Amino acid sequence: MASQGGSLVKTNEINPVICLLISACLLFVAYNSLSVLLLGLFGETTVGILISYDTYLYDSNASPNRSRTVAKGYRFDVRGKEYKGHVIYGSDEAWPRLRDGEIRTERITYLAVLPGMNKPTHLVDFRVLGVGGLFFHILGIAGSLFLFRLVHRRLGTGVRTIKRLVNRE
């Protein structure tokens, strides 16, 4: 609330820094879900090499795929050019850490037109994701874009009508 001429006036403005932070998070969610869907539909698969691997146990009594956080760094070649990637996800896998000189391979799915968009294959395979995973990513795109528009107040006449009603009070 701001003081104006001795009376308190409500301001409906969102702090620009907070708005920017929320917008960045929502756009990241939309990008991540869109990349999973694009990679699952149009991706090509190659073999990459793990360059880092860490796993963190949080709860040994957790439900499946919720007990550990896995972090992987990898690299792969497409048409003679090297690309790198990094993912963090929940899983129950518990490999030992990479030792010096140890080489582990990982199947990587990438877009042929944009190899920088890539993920390990098991994170984008529709058979592994199942119907629930596909629904989650589709809903993630739609929901984050809806909330992005809501944050930026571009939902249409319904919001404008509500604003006019609030401003009359």
Side-chain angles (χ1 to χ4, degrees):
M1 288 201 230
S3 178
Q4 186 178 38
S7 65
L8 294 176
V9 177
K10 287 186 180 180
T11 59
N12 292 329
E13 291 297 315
I14 299 174
N15 182 327
V17 174
I18 300 298
C19 186
L20 182 66
L21 203 65
I22 291 170
S23 298
C25 291
L26 291 171
L27 290 175
F28 177 75
V29 168
Y31 167 78
N32 187 48
S33 291
L34 184 63
S35 69
V36 168
L37 294 176
L38 288 175
L39 288 168
L41 290 171
F42 306 112
E44 297 183 22
T45 303
T46 188
V47 176
I49 297 173
L50 289 181
I51 54 177
S52 66
Y53 179 88
D54 284 312
T55 181
Y56 309 99
L57 177 65
Y58 288 109
D59 183 3
S60 59
N61 297 323
S63 60
N65 291 326
R66 299 286 185 239
S67 64
R68 294 180 178 272
T69 297
V70 176
K72 290 181 182 177
Y74 54 88
R75 63 181 169 82
F76 63 100
D77 293 327
V78 174
R79 295 184 291 277
K81 186 172 179 186
E82 181 178 85
Y83 294 90
K84 293 183 180 181
H86 189 276
V87 292
I88 299 174
Y89 59 94
S91 179
D92 287 333
E93 73 181 48
W95 301 343
R97 290 190 175 167
L98 287 170
R99 294 184 297 269
D100 288 336
E102 181 181 5
I103 295 177
R104 289 189 201 149
T105 59
E106 179 87 23
R107 290 180 53 212
I108 307 296
T109 300
Y110 66 94
L111 284 180
V113 295
L114 188 63
M117 184 181 287
N118 57 71
K119 291 187 184 301
T121 300
H122 66 90
L123 297 177
V124 298
D125 187 354
F126 290 161
R127 291 171 296 199
V128 175
L129 287 174
V131 175
L134 287 173
F135 182 71
F136 173 82
H137 287 294
I138 291 168
L139 189 62
I141 295 168
S144 61
L145 293 178
F146 172 79
L147 290 172
F148 181 81
R149 289 187 64 169
L150 183 65
V151 166
H152 291 280
R153 298 188 181 126
R154 293 189 180 119
L155 282 176
T157 59
V159 172
R160 284 188 216 123
T161 304
I162 292 170
K163 283 183 186 178
R164 274 189 253 128
L165 291 174
V166 169
N167 288 337
R168 286 182 189 169
E169 293 177 349

